Amino acid sequence: MLGDDVTATQPAPINLETPTRRGDVIAAVLCLLAGLLGYFVVVPAAVYVPAKFAGTANSPAFLPNVMFVILAVLGAAYLVLSLIARHRAAAEGRVSPSDWALAGGTALICIGYVAAIHAVGMTLASALAVAATIYYFGERRPMVIASIALILPMLLWYFFVKIAHILFPTPWLGIIEWLEAALEAGAGLV
Amino acid sequence: MVDLDILFQSLELILQWKVVAACLAGVIWGMFVGVTPGLTGIMAVVIALPLTFFMDPQSAIALLLGIYVTAIYGGSVTAIMIATPGTPNAAATVLDGYPLARQGKARQALEMALYASFTAGILSTVVALVIFPIVANFALEFGAAEVFAVIVFSITIIAGVSGESLLKGLIAASFGFLIAMIGQDPIHGSSRFTFGVHDFQAGMHILTLLVGLFTIPEIIVRGVEAYKSRDAVSVGDMGPRMTFRQFISYWPTYLRSSAGGSLLGALPGLGGSPAAFLGYFLAQRFSKKPEEFGEGSLEGVAGAEAGNNAVCGPALVPMMSLGIPGDTTTAVLMGALVIHGLNPGPMLFESAPEFIYSVFLLLFVALIFLFFVGTGVIRMAKWVVRMPTQILFPVVLILATYGTYAVRGTMVDVISMYAVGFLGFLLRIQKIPAAPFAIAFILGPLFENALRKALIISGGSLDIFFSSKISITFLTLAALSAGASAYLHWRLKGTKAAKIITD
Amino acid sequence: MRQTVKTRLLSTAIVAAAAIATAPVMAGDYPNKPIKLVVASGAGGSTDTAARIMAINIQDHIGQPIIVVNKKGASGGIGINYALKAKPDGYMLMEGMIGGHVLHPAMNASSGYTPADYAPIAMTQMNPNVLVVKADSPYKTLKDLLDAIKANPGKLKFSHAGAGSIHFFGIHLLLKKAGLAKDAAVSIPYKGGKKSMAGLLRGEAQFHQTNLVSAIGFMEAGKVRALAVTTKKRLKAFPDVPTYTELGYPGVDIFGWRGVIGPKGLPKEIVDKWAKAVQDTMKRKGWKKMVKAVGDVPRYMGPEEFTKHIENDFKRYREMAEDLGILVK
């Protein structure tokens, strides 16, 4: 008996995609908080209600309020159930921290990618992001990484800019876009 | 019913090589855009639109109809292969199509999607062609109260796709409903939850939400997997072909889901994605194996694709008979008709009946081309399954970003997409399902709009919802469906499906 | 390897710098590259179609391709804000539309722009409105309708294409000029003009003002009866329908319009070049035919007149939004 308890205190790390009881409790509390915060703070602050509709079912704030209350109630129910029900799907234990770290790494690349689009423009940022992600996901052959990072953004640039006429964001340091503008100006000269 | 003389006249109109060629060109172009994530059908139409100014009316409409039909189907290819709905209509296809592809049955899933689309397209066009003269005014029967009842009925779909726990499904649905409220309020136009960010005024685009909800969590999860196992090939195998017997065995699903999709298609303003979910839901509700849904059910793919493709024929009915286009794509088609001097509306059927028939006949032609071009695309899909995970998903990440940006051309959408993606990842870990989230997002604004409009019309009285047979019927159906869902949940508890989830 | 990459980068940079350095010299021969025309509404909509018709016709007179770019959202606010941020060098202009350029900022103090922030170049077409009731409606004339509203305040309903659409303002302007209270009739918003017409046909509303083109099919089919139009003269196709002006409501003759608008600070030469090109384009038969097909009426206004027209429109609609208590701060 005693030996069983000792092993039970150190459960094996579980798969990232298995809901844990701990996760259930955290999620439930977050839902409850989001509902309350929404009802008491966000709706009054961020929904503009013209005076003539205040307090009616036709007010722009009516359904948001209803939905936040529902969310809070559901969150409370979720909390109660995940605390009392042993037979529920939730597993005891924790996801391995390294899995979380790996997932967080991908998220960081995504954030970096968005920032890079602002900084150096869509095409260059995409080349960097695709190379970084491929490397991060475990591909190490430099030629493979380089060729995808080169070809993919070029194809996308050609299609979106030249055929579909999508205007890409103007970057702070748009090297490719700068080059493109220069080439267009150059073509105008001829 | 159908006037045969006029039908033959319209056949003469379309059986010219340039009309048929324009239709084929439309199908090929629509397919190319449809399978490219982020390029929506509407974009395909817009790029082709200036060309149509210089064509004769038949060729112009043939080209646009080819794109219209194909774009509805094309989104399902990326939905199945890389969990990225190419068009909003394909959101329901991801639910079962993508799990099938992960299980090495991509070929069957793709073929199911194509055959179901084709079947439903043909069925619904036949229905539209035959009943066109009778139901030309059908859309007028559906006022705010009736539309509200249909939407309430559709919302009960949420219970069916909630998976393990109805509670978690409802939580996901509340999130979807709340996020859909960002932007201008549908009745008074006052801003909600925009926090001074001007681009939020337009609300979150449905593709932004779908890509964030389905694609980003998948990339993150596969990334963890790829990092651990290094040289894993994504799936590696297309799997077996679908047999004819397999295809035929789902015939009740095609009929039911097409009927549901046709109904929603004929009501202006609801569009393809609710129809896809309704088709999916009908397939599940009457299935012998409802527990397989969401885990990789061919029937689910069939239901979703039959549902959304059944929209294409009937959606043209209110557009041509009343001049009320159902969605953006039909609006563009209508614009093209107008440019060529054909004014859709009550007069068109009297002034140019052969033209109306020719439009439906062209739909058949487009569907047949779709069938062959689609078969070719399925062959090419093997490149995707053979790609190693560590290369495929980074590429998907880039495509998802371009696609999200391209829809409206604003970085706010890209940032929102990643925010939804991270939220979706956390929800996925806790098995809070994505499907109810997406459905609530799609139906929420329609629900709010119909409810509030009905209340203005009735002066605040709730009697309006019980004043017509149509709305009473649908509200009753909604109650029955909610009851049946609760029963289904109870029945599935402790079965294999529930165990798979708990393991 | 590293050396070659570096050299190559350096050489491209030099080429680029040289090209950019020469750019200002060429400002005189505007335009020397394709021009983007931002449409702040959905692809395939009537404004988009109008812009594309303009684009394919005017490029012969401008001498460079015109690329139509759609940026929709927030009733046009998104696309207009975007285009206003562009350099006023004439390479990014907008398809002007009453909804996005006037009505949206008139309704929203936080829209980010007012007509003072952009430079109107030329109006190209206008869009008369028509007041309709269902064919079996008891109201035969405008007077019948107004009397009925007066007798039953708050009972009659009108459908329109959304709060802040020109049709919504049109009815409110009529009520105001007729000396009725602002809530004498109930407003029912729909998503777009086509659906609001369906609302009228369905009997959810008793009257409806809309673009002539949206109503014309229903008028011909005898499903609706027109009570008044906002044109100066009666329509040739419907000589029985009186104008608001002859009925004694001259201030109600509002109409929608489209045109070409640039960002603030656009050089005068560019404005004039475009105004001239628009004038030339409007003489083309192909352009006229297409514009009429989409239901607009060709109507030219030069930069000064157009600017004045927009200022008046804005003032009028801003006052109404304040009056009606729907101005979003």
mmCIF file with all atom_site columns, all heavy atoms in Angstrom, chain B residues 46 140 142-144 198 322-323 338 409 453 457, chain C residues 43 52 71 111 157 189 194 202 204 218 293:
data_model
loop_
_atom_site.group_PDB
_atom_site.id
_atom_site.type_symbol
_atom_site.label_atom_id
_atom_site.label_alt_id
_atom_site.label_comp_id
_atom_site.label_asym_id
_atom_site.label_entity_id
_atom_site.label_seq_id
_atom_site.pdbx_PDB_ins_code
_atom_site.Cartn_x
_atom_site.Cartn_y
_atom_site.Cartn_z
_atom_site.occupancy
_atom_site.B_iso_or_equiv
_atom_site.pdbx_formal_charge
_atom_site.auth_seq_id
_atom_site.auth_comp_id
_atom_site.auth_asym_id
_atom_site.auth_atom_id
_atom_site.pdbx_PDB_model_num
ATOM 1   N N   . VAL B 1 46  ? -13.778 38.037 -58.548 1.00 0.00 ? 46  VAL B N   1
ATOM 2   C CA  . VAL B 1 46  ? -13.405 39.432 -58.772 1.00 0.00 ? 46  VAL B CA  1
ATOM 3   C C   . VAL B 1 46  ? -12.292 39.564 -59.800 1.00 0.00 ? 46  VAL B C   1
ATOM 4   O O   . VAL B 1 46  ? -12.316 40.447 -60.651 1.00 0.00 ? 46  VAL B O   1
ATOM 5   C CB  . VAL B 1 46  ? -13.005 40.072 -57.435 1.00 0.00 ? 46  VAL B CB  1
ATOM 6   C CG1 . VAL B 1 46  ? -12.293 41.381 -57.670 1.00 0.00 ? 46  VAL B CG1 1
ATOM 7   C CG2 . VAL B 1 46  ? -14.234 40.270 -56.590 1.00 0.00 ? 46  VAL B CG2 1
ATOM 8   N N   . LEU B 1 140 ? -39.979 35.271 -49.941 1.00 0.00 ? 140 LEU B N   1
ATOM 9   C CA  . LEU B 1 140 ? -40.794 36.313 -49.310 1.00 0.00 ? 140 LEU B CA  1
ATOM 10  C C   . LEU B 1 140 ? -41.605 35.780 -48.134 1.00 0.00 ? 140 LEU B C   1
ATOM 11  O O   . LEU B 1 140 ? -42.069 36.543 -47.295 1.00 0.00 ? 140 LEU B O   1
ATOM 12  C CB  . LEU B 1 140 ? -41.736 36.942 -50.338 1.00 0.00 ? 140 LEU B CB  1
ATOM 13  C CG  . LEU B 1 140 ? -41.092 37.898 -51.324 1.00 0.00 ? 140 LEU B CG  1
ATOM 14  C CD1 . LEU B 1 140 ? -42.142 38.557 -52.171 1.00 0.00 ? 140 LEU B CD1 1
ATOM 15  C CD2 . LEU B 1 140 ? -40.277 38.953 -50.591 1.00 0.00 ? 140 LEU B CD2 1
ATOM 16  N N   . PHE B 1 142 ? -40.443 34.120 -45.841 1.00 0.00 ? 142 PHE B N   1
ATOM 17  C CA  . PHE B 1 142 ? -39.589 34.092 -44.661 1.00 0.00 ? 142 PHE B CA  1
ATOM 18  C C   . PHE B 1 142 ? -39.268 35.505 -44.200 1.00 0.00 ? 142 PHE B C   1
ATOM 19  O O   . PHE B 1 142 ? -38.339 36.131 -44.671 1.00 0.00 ? 142 PHE B O   1
ATOM 20  C CB  . PHE B 1 142 ? -38.311 33.304 -44.947 1.00 0.00 ? 142 PHE B CB  1
ATOM 21  C CG  . PHE B 1 142 ? -38.524 31.822 -44.848 1.00 0.00 ? 142 PHE B CG  1
ATOM 22  C CD1 . PHE B 1 142 ? -39.197 31.149 -45.847 1.00 0.00 ? 142 PHE B CD1 1
ATOM 23  C CD2 . PHE B 1 142 ? -38.071 31.119 -43.752 1.00 0.00 ? 142 PHE B CD2 1
ATOM 24  C CE1 . PHE B 1 142 ? -39.417 29.786 -45.752 1.00 0.00 ? 142 PHE B CE1 1
ATOM 25  C CE2 . PHE B 1 142 ? -38.292 29.754 -43.653 1.00 0.00 ? 142 PHE B CE2 1
ATOM 26  C CZ  . PHE B 1 142 ? -38.961 29.083 -44.651 1.00 0.00 ? 142 PHE B CZ  1
ATOM 27  N N   . GLY B 1 143 ? -40.038 35.991 -43.264 1.00 0.00 ? 143 GLY B N   1
ATOM 28  C CA  . GLY B 1 143 ? -39.759 37.284 -42.652 1.00 0.00 ? 143 GLY B CA  1
ATOM 29  C C   . GLY B 1 143 ? -38.817 37.102 -41.478 1.00 0.00 ? 143 GLY B C   1
ATOM 30  O O   . GLY B 1 143 ? -38.300 36.010 -41.244 1.00 0.00 ? 143 GLY B O   1
ATOM 31  N N   . ALA B 1 144 ? -38.607 38.178 -40.736 1.00 0.00 ? 144 ALA B N   1
ATOM 32  C CA  . ALA B 1 144 ? -37.666 38.127 -39.624 1.00 0.00 ? 144 ALA B CA  1
ATOM 33  C C   . ALA B 1 144 ? -38.022 37.008 -38.643 1.00 0.00 ? 144 ALA B C   1
ATOM 34  O O   . ALA B 1 144 ? -37.146 36.281 -38.170 1.00 0.00 ? 144 ALA B O   1
ATOM 35  C CB  . ALA B 1 144 ? -37.636 39.469 -38.906 1.00 0.00 ? 144 ALA B CB  1
ATOM 36  N N   . HIS B 1 198 ? -9.771  50.849 -35.137 1.00 0.00 ? 198 HIS B N   1
ATOM 37  C CA  . HIS B 1 198 ? -10.731 51.094 -36.197 1.00 0.00 ? 198 HIS B CA  1
ATOM 38  C C   . HIS B 1 198 ? -11.047 49.851 -37.000 1.00 0.00 ? 198 HIS B C   1
ATOM 39  O O   . HIS B 1 198 ? -12.180 49.616 -37.399 1.00 0.00 ? 198 HIS B O   1
ATOM 40  C CB  . HIS B 1 198 ? -10.256 52.221 -37.108 1.00 0.00 ? 198 HIS B CB  1
ATOM 41  C CG  . HIS B 1 198 ? -11.369 52.758 -37.923 1.00 0.00 ? 198 HIS B CG  1
ATOM 42  N ND1 . HIS B 1 198 ? -11.644 52.300 -39.181 1.00 0.00 ? 198 HIS B ND1 1
ATOM 43  C CD2 . HIS B 1 198 ? -12.336 53.652 -37.620 1.00 0.00 ? 198 HIS B CD2 1
ATOM 44  C CE1 . HIS B 1 198 ? -12.710 52.913 -39.629 1.00 0.00 ? 198 HIS B CE1 1
ATOM 45  N NE2 . HIS B 1 198 ? -13.148 53.736 -38.712 1.00 0.00 ? 198 HIS B NE2 1
ATOM 46  N N   . LEU B 1 322 ? -36.349 37.582 -57.531 1.00 0.00 ? 322 LEU B N   1
ATOM 47  C CA  . LEU B 1 322 ? -36.673 38.778 -56.751 1.00 0.00 ? 322 LEU B CA  1
ATOM 48  C C   . LEU B 1 322 ? -35.572 39.827 -56.820 1.00 0.00 ? 322 LEU B C   1
ATOM 49  O O   . LEU B 1 322 ? -35.734 40.934 -56.334 1.00 0.00 ? 322 LEU B O   1
ATOM 50  C CB  . LEU B 1 322 ? -36.874 38.400 -55.277 1.00 0.00 ? 322 LEU B CB  1
ATOM 51  C CG  . LEU B 1 322 ? -38.051 37.473 -54.987 1.00 0.00 ? 322 LEU B CG  1
ATOM 52  C CD1 . LEU B 1 322 ? -37.972 36.967 -53.576 1.00 0.00 ? 322 LEU B CD1 1
ATOM 53  C CD2 . LEU B 1 322 ? -39.353 38.208 -55.207 1.00 0.00 ? 322 LEU B CD2 1
ATOM 54  N N   . GLY B 1 323 ? -34.448 39.449 -57.379 1.00 0.00 ? 323 GLY B N   1
ATOM 55  C CA  . GLY B 1 323 ? -33.327 40.381 -57.375 1.00 0.00 ? 323 GLY B CA  1
ATOM 56  C C   . GLY B 1 323 ? -32.705 40.509 -56.006 1.00 0.00 ? 323 GLY B C   1
ATOM 57  O O   . GLY B 1 323 ? -32.102 41.530 -55.688 1.00 0.00 ? 323 GLY B O   1
ATOM 58  N N   . VAL B 1 338 ? -26.600 42.258 -64.548 1.00 0.00 ? 338 VAL B N   1
ATOM 59  C CA  . VAL B 1 338 ? -27.061 43.638 -64.715 1.00 0.00 ? 338 VAL B CA  1
ATOM 60  C C   . VAL B 1 338 ? -26.247 44.350 -65.785 1.00 0.00 ? 338 VAL B C   1
ATOM 61  O O   . VAL B 1 338 ? -26.784 45.036 -66.652 1.00 0.00 ? 338 VAL B O   1
ATOM 62  C CB  . VAL B 1 338 ? -26.984 44.380 -63.372 1.00 0.00 ? 338 VAL B CB  1
ATOM 63  C CG1 . VAL B 1 338 ? -27.161 45.869 -63.576 1.00 0.00 ? 338 VAL B CG1 1
ATOM 64  C CG2 . VAL B 1 338 ? -28.044 43.854 -62.419 1.00 0.00 ? 338 VAL B CG2 1
ATOM 65  N N   . GLY B 1 409 ? -7.092  42.363 -46.318 1.00 0.00 ? 409 GLY B N   1
ATOM 66  C CA  . GLY B 1 409 ? -5.935  43.227 -46.425 1.00 0.00 ? 409 GLY B CA  1
ATOM 67  C C   . GLY B 1 409 ? -5.660  44.057 -45.195 1.00 0.00 ? 409 GLY B C   1
ATOM 68  O O   . GLY B 1 409 ? -5.327  45.236 -45.303 1.00 0.00 ? 409 GLY B O   1
ATOM 69  N N   . LYS B 1 453 ? -34.788 42.439 -35.162 1.00 0.00 ? 453 LYS B N   1
ATOM 70  C CA  . LYS B 1 453 ? -35.629 43.005 -36.206 1.00 0.00 ? 453 LYS B CA  1
ATOM 71  C C   . LYS B 1 453 ? -37.087 42.599 -35.978 1.00 0.00 ? 453 LYS B C   1
ATOM 72  O O   . LYS B 1 453 ? -38.000 43.426 -36.092 1.00 0.00 ? 453 LYS B O   1
ATOM 73  C CB  . LYS B 1 453 ? -35.154 42.528 -37.575 1.00 0.00 ? 453 LYS B CB  1
ATOM 74  C CG  . LYS B 1 453 ? -35.661 43.385 -38.678 1.00 0.00 ? 453 LYS B CG  1
ATOM 75  C CD  . LYS B 1 453 ? -34.708 43.404 -39.833 1.00 0.00 ? 453 LYS B CD  1
ATOM 76  C CE  . LYS B 1 453 ? -34.618 42.034 -40.462 1.00 0.00 ? 453 LYS B CE  1
ATOM 77  N NZ  . LYS B 1 453 ? -33.484 41.877 -41.349 1.00 0.00 ? 453 LYS B NZ  1
ATOM 78  N N   . ILE B 1 457 ? -40.348 45.003 -35.439 1.00 0.00 ? 457 ILE B N   1
ATOM 79  C CA  . ILE B 1 457 ? -41.542 44.914 -36.279 1.00 0.00 ? 457 ILE B CA  1
ATOM 80  C C   . ILE B 1 457 ? -42.779 44.707 -35.417 1.00 0.00 ? 457 ILE B C   1
ATOM 81  O O   . ILE B 1 457 ? -43.826 45.305 -35.643 1.00 0.00 ? 457 ILE B O   1
ATOM 82  C CB  . ILE B 1 457 ? -41.385 43.766 -37.303 1.00 0.00 ? 457 ILE B CB  1
ATOM 83  C CG1 . ILE B 1 457 ? -40.304 44.129 -38.321 1.00 0.00 ? 457 ILE B CG1 1
ATOM 84  C CG2 . ILE B 1 457 ? -42.706 43.473 -38.008 1.00 0.00 ? 457 ILE B CG2 1
ATOM 85  C CD1 . ILE B 1 457 ? -39.838 42.978 -39.163 1.00 0.00 ? 457 ILE B CD1 1
ATOM 86  N N   . ALA C 2 43  ? -16.158 43.431 -53.065 1.00 0.00 ? 43  ALA C N   1
ATOM 87  C CA  . ALA C 2 43  ? -15.993 43.121 -54.463 1.00 0.00 ? 43  ALA C CA  1
ATOM 88  C C   . ALA C 2 43  ? -17.327 42.662 -55.027 1.00 0.00 ? 43  ALA C C   1
ATOM 89  O O   . ALA C 2 43  ? -18.031 41.897 -54.399 1.00 0.00 ? 43  ALA C O   1
ATOM 90  C CB  . ALA C 2 43  ? -14.955 42.029 -54.623 1.00 0.00 ? 43  ALA C CB  1
ATOM 91  N N   . ARG C 2 52  ? -14.831 49.471 -61.372 1.00 0.00 ? 52  ARG C N   1
ATOM 92  C CA  . ARG C 2 52  ? -14.172 48.670 -62.404 1.00 0.00 ? 52  ARG C CA  1
ATOM 93  C C   . ARG C 2 52  ? -14.529 49.182 -63.804 1.00 0.00 ? 52  ARG C C   1
ATOM 94  O O   . ARG C 2 52  ? -13.696 49.160 -64.715 1.00 0.00 ? 52  ARG C O   1
ATOM 95  C CB  . ARG C 2 52  ? -14.542 47.196 -62.247 1.00 0.00 ? 52  ARG C CB  1
ATOM 96  C CG  . ARG C 2 52  ? -13.801 46.570 -61.096 1.00 0.00 ? 52  ARG C CG  1
ATOM 97  C CD  . ARG C 2 52  ? -14.253 45.167 -60.755 1.00 0.00 ? 52  ARG C CD  1
ATOM 98  N NE  . ARG C 2 52  ? -13.796 44.842 -59.413 1.00 0.00 ? 52  ARG C NE  1
ATOM 99  C CZ  . ARG C 2 52  ? -12.570 44.439 -59.120 1.00 0.00 ? 52  ARG C CZ  1
ATOM 100 N NH1 . ARG C 2 52  ? -11.687 44.288 -60.073 1.00 0.00 ? 52  ARG C NH1 1
ATOM 101 N NH2 . ARG C 2 52  ? -12.220 44.186 -57.866 1.00 0.00 ? 52  ARG C NH2 1
ATOM 102 N N   . LYS C 2 71  ? -11.111 46.982 -50.243 1.00 0.00 ? 71  LYS C N   1
ATOM 103 C CA  . LYS C 2 71  ? -10.865 46.918 -48.806 1.00 0.00 ? 71  LYS C CA  1
ATOM 104 C C   . LYS C 2 71  ? -12.177 47.270 -48.146 1.00 0.00 ? 71  LYS C C   1
ATOM 105 O O   . LYS C 2 71  ? -12.534 48.437 -48.059 1.00 0.00 ? 71  LYS C O   1
ATOM 106 C CB  . LYS C 2 71  ? -9.794  47.927 -48.415 1.00 0.00 ? 71  LYS C CB  1
ATOM 107 C CG  . LYS C 2 71  ? -8.444  47.291 -48.150 1.00 0.00 ? 71  LYS C CG  1
ATOM 108 C CD  . LYS C 2 71  ? -7.566  48.281 -47.467 1.00 0.00 ? 71  LYS C CD  1
ATOM 109 C CE  . LYS C 2 71  ? -6.110  47.904 -47.407 1.00 0.00 ? 71  LYS C CE  1
ATOM 110 N NZ  . LYS C 2 71  ? -5.724  46.579 -47.151 1.00 0.00 ? 71  LYS C NZ  1
ATOM 111 N N   . SER C 2 111 ? -14.913 57.962 -36.742 1.00 0.00 ? 111 SER C N   1
ATOM 112 C CA  . SER C 2 111 ? -14.577 57.233 -37.969 1.00 0.00 ? 111 SER C CA  1
ATOM 113 C C   . SER C 2 111 ? -13.147 57.490 -38.421 1.00 0.00 ? 111 SER C C   1
ATOM 114 O O   . SER C 2 111 ? -12.604 56.731 -39.201 1.00 0.00 ? 111 SER C O   1
ATOM 115 C CB  . SER C 2 111 ? -15.533 57.641 -39.092 1.00 0.00 ? 111 SER C CB  1
ATOM 116 O OG  . SER C 2 111 ? -15.322 58.993 -39.398 1.00 0.00 ? 111 SER C OG  1
ATOM 117 N N   . LYS C 2 157 ? -44.415 51.661 -40.518 1.00 0.00 ? 157 LYS C N   1
ATOM 118 C CA  . LYS C 2 157 ? -43.007 51.289 -40.507 1.00 0.00 ? 157 LYS C CA  1
ATOM 119 C C   . LYS C 2 157 ? -42.415 51.472 -41.889 1.00 0.00 ? 157 LYS C C   1
ATOM 120 O O   . LYS C 2 157 ? -43.109 51.320 -42.893 1.00 0.00 ? 157 LYS C O   1
ATOM 121 C CB  . LYS C 2 157 ? -42.857 49.832 -40.087 1.00 0.00 ? 157 LYS C CB  1
ATOM 122 C CG  . LYS C 2 157 ? -43.496 49.546 -38.744 1.00 0.00 ? 157 LYS C CG  1
ATOM 123 C CD  . LYS C 2 157 ? -43.403 48.076 -38.406 1.00 0.00 ? 157 LYS C CD  1
ATOM 124 C CE  . LYS C 2 157 ? -44.277 47.764 -37.221 1.00 0.00 ? 157 LYS C CE  1
ATOM 125 N NZ  . LYS C 2 157 ? -45.500 47.048 -37.629 1.00 0.00 ? 157 LYS C NZ  1
ATOM 126 N N   . PRO C 2 189 ? -34.288 48.268 -39.982 1.00 0.00 ? 189 PRO C N   1
ATOM 127 C CA  . PRO C 2 189 ? -33.072 48.117 -40.778 1.00 0.00 ? 189 PRO C CA  1
ATOM 128 C C   . PRO C 2 189 ? -32.938 46.724 -41.391 1.00 0.00 ? 189 PRO C C   1
ATOM 129 O O   . PRO C 2 189 ? -33.274 45.734 -40.755 1.00 0.00 ? 189 PRO C O   1
ATOM 130 C CB  . PRO C 2 189 ? -31.962 48.339 -39.751 1.00 0.00 ? 189 PRO C CB  1
ATOM 131 C CG  . PRO C 2 189 ? -32.554 47.919 -38.455 1.00 0.00 ? 189 PRO C CG  1
ATOM 132 C CD  . PRO C 2 189 ? -34.035 48.100 -38.548 1.00 0.00 ? 189 PRO C CD  1
ATOM 133 N N   . LYS C 2 194 ? -31.584 45.514 -51.246 1.00 0.00 ? 194 LYS C N   1
ATOM 134 C CA  . LYS C 2 194 ? -32.386 44.450 -51.851 1.00 0.00 ? 194 LYS C CA  1
ATOM 135 C C   . LYS C 2 194 ? -33.247 43.774 -50.801 1.00 0.00 ? 194 LYS C C   1
ATOM 136 O O   . LYS C 2 194 ? -34.410 43.482 -51.013 1.00 0.00 ? 194 LYS C O   1
ATOM 137 C CB  . LYS C 2 194 ? -31.467 43.427 -52.510 1.00 0.00 ? 194 LYS C CB  1
ATOM 138 C CG  . LYS C 2 194 ? -30.400 44.050 -53.371 1.00 0.00 ? 194 LYS C CG  1
ATOM 139 C CD  . LYS C 2 194 ? -30.791 44.046 -54.818 1.00 0.00 ? 194 LYS C CD  1
ATOM 140 C CE  . LYS C 2 194 ? -29.972 44.980 -55.680 1.00 0.00 ? 194 LYS C CE  1
ATOM 141 N NZ  . LYS C 2 194 ? -28.540 45.001 -55.440 1.00 0.00 ? 194 LYS C NZ  1
ATOM 142 N N   . ARG C 2 202 ? -42.977 41.815 -48.206 1.00 0.00 ? 202 ARG C N   1
ATOM 143 C CA  . ARG C 2 202 ? -43.469 40.834 -47.251 1.00 0.00 ? 202 ARG C CA  1
ATOM 144 C C   . ARG C 2 202 ? -44.491 41.468 -46.297 1.00 0.00 ? 202 ARG C C   1
ATOM 145 O O   . ARG C 2 202 ? -45.141 40.787 -45.537 1.00 0.00 ? 202 ARG C O   1
ATOM 146 C CB  . ARG C 2 202 ? -42.258 40.356 -46.457 1.00 0.00 ? 202 ARG C CB  1
ATOM 147 C CG  . ARG C 2 202 ? -42.346 38.960 -45.980 1.00 0.00 ? 202 ARG C CG  1
ATOM 148 C CD  . ARG C 2 202 ? -41.094 38.644 -45.194 1.00 0.00 ? 202 ARG C CD  1
ATOM 149 N NE  . ARG C 2 202 ? -39.971 38.331 -46.047 1.00 0.00 ? 202 ARG C NE  1
ATOM 150 C CZ  . ARG C 2 202 ? -38.755 38.854 -45.884 1.00 0.00 ? 202 ARG C CZ  1
ATOM 151 N NH1 . ARG C 2 202 ? -38.521 39.748 -44.936 1.00 0.00 ? 202 ARG C NH1 1
ATOM 152 N NH2 . ARG C 2 202 ? -37.783 38.487 -46.657 1.00 0.00 ? 202 ARG C NH2 1
ATOM 153 N N   . GLU C 2 204 ? -43.656 43.632 -43.897 1.00 0.00 ? 204 GLU C N   1
ATOM 154 C CA  . GLU C 2 204 ? -43.065 43.979 -42.605 1.00 0.00 ? 204 GLU C CA  1
ATOM 155 C C   . GLU C 2 204 ? -42.948 45.491 -42.444 1.00 0.00 ? 204 GLU C C   1
ATOM 156 O O   . GLU C 2 204 ? -42.774 45.992 -41.351 1.00 0.00 ? 204 GLU C O   1
ATOM 157 C CB  . GLU C 2 204 ? -41.683 43.322 -42.460 1.00 0.00 ? 204 GLU C CB  1
ATOM 158 C CG  . GLU C 2 204 ? -41.761 41.835 -42.274 1.00 0.00 ? 204 GLU C CG  1
ATOM 159 C CD  . GLU C 2 204 ? -40.419 41.134 -42.302 1.00 0.00 ? 204 GLU C CD  1
ATOM 160 O OE1 . GLU C 2 204 ? -39.400 41.753 -42.641 1.00 0.00 ? 204 GLU C OE1 1
ATOM 161 O OE2 . GLU C 2 204 ? -40.394 39.946 -41.989 1.00 0.00 ? 204 GLU C OE2 1
ATOM 162 N N   . PHE C 2 218 ? -39.509 45.995 -59.859 1.00 0.00 ? 218 PHE C N   1
ATOM 163 C CA  . PHE C 2 218 ? -40.752 45.789 -59.123 1.00 0.00 ? 218 PHE C CA  1
ATOM 164 C C   . PHE C 2 218 ? -41.828 46.788 -59.580 1.00 0.00 ? 218 PHE C C   1
ATOM 165 O O   . PHE C 2 218 ? -43.010 46.486 -59.547 1.00 0.00 ? 218 PHE C O   1
ATOM 166 C CB  . PHE C 2 218 ? -40.498 45.917 -57.623 1.00 0.00 ? 218 PHE C CB  1
ATOM 167 C CG  . PHE C 2 218 ? -39.550 44.871 -57.110 1.00 0.00 ? 218 PHE C CG  1
ATOM 168 C CD1 . PHE C 2 218 ? -38.187 45.108 -57.056 1.00 0.00 ? 218 PHE C CD1 1
ATOM 169 C CD2 . PHE C 2 218 ? -40.023 43.634 -56.704 1.00 0.00 ? 218 PHE C CD2 1
ATOM 170 C CE1 . PHE C 2 218 ? -37.321 44.139 -56.610 1.00 0.00 ? 218 PHE C CE1 1
ATOM 171 C CE2 . PHE C 2 218 ? -39.169 42.657 -56.251 1.00 0.00 ? 218 PHE C CE2 1
ATOM 172 C CZ  . PHE C 2 218 ? -37.810 42.908 -56.203 1.00 0.00 ? 218 PHE C CZ  1
ATOM 173 N N   . ALA C 2 293 ? -26.489 50.576 -67.430 1.00 0.00 ? 293 ALA C N   1
ATOM 174 C CA  . ALA C 2 293 ? -26.900 49.202 -67.145 1.00 0.00 ? 293 ALA C CA  1
ATOM 175 C C   . ALA C 2 293 ? -26.913 48.934 -65.637 1.00 0.00 ? 293 ALA C C   1
ATOM 176 O O   . ALA C 2 293 ? -27.784 48.240 -65.134 1.00 0.00 ? 293 ALA C O   1
ATOM 177 C CB  . ALA C 2 293 ? -25.974 48.216 -67.843 1.00 0.00 ? 293 ALA C CB  1
#
